[in-house]
């Protein structure tokens, strides 16, 4: 990052959940049809990734979170809750 540029005081977060029941022919997202979604393992990996990025966002306010990419509603509600609260 250019040191003369100040980071925005707010930021938005996109959480990619790439699984669907079927791959739609018009979809350009990195998404995959699957019968089994490794939701818990994927959530742990996402949280670990976010933890590594924390130093880059200290002092900034989270403005919005968008969850998409595949079919987020296929993830169990408790996993979505974990992603939003951890």
């Amino acid at each position: 990052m250019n040191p003369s540029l100040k980071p925005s005081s707010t930021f938005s977060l996109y959480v990619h959940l790439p699984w669907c029941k079927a791959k739609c022919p018009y979809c350009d997202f990195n998404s995959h049809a699957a019968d089994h979604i490794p939701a818990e393992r994927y959530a742990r990996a996402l949280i670990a990734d976010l933890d590594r990025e924390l130093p880059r966002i200290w002092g900034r306010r989270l403005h919005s979170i968008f969850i998409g990419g595949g079919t987020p509603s296929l993830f169990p509600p408790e996993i979505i809750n974990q992603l939003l609260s951890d």
Side-chain angles (χ1 to χ4, degrees), residues 4-74:
S4 65
L5 298 176
K6 291 183 179 180
S8 170
S9 61
T10 63
F11 71 99
S12 296
L13 177 65
Y14 171 72
V15 179
H16 189 72
L17 304 179
W19 291 281
C20 299
K21 291 269 186 198
K23 179 73 173 171
C24 297
Y26 57 82
C27 180
D28 288 335
F29 284 103
N30 175 10
S31 59
H32 311 278
D35 291 328
H36 171 73
I37 298 170
E40 290 181 24
R41 194 172 105 206
Y42 192 72
R44 284 194 305 271
L46 282 174
I47 291 167
D49 189 41
L50 290 169
D51 284 343
R52 281 189 297 277
E53 293 298 320
L54 279 176
R56 295 174 49 142
I57 59 170
W58 285 128
R60 297 172 66 191
R61 189 173 65 86
L62 179 60
H63 175 71
S64 64
I65 300 173
F66 179 80
I67 301 173
T71 308
S73 61
L74 294 177

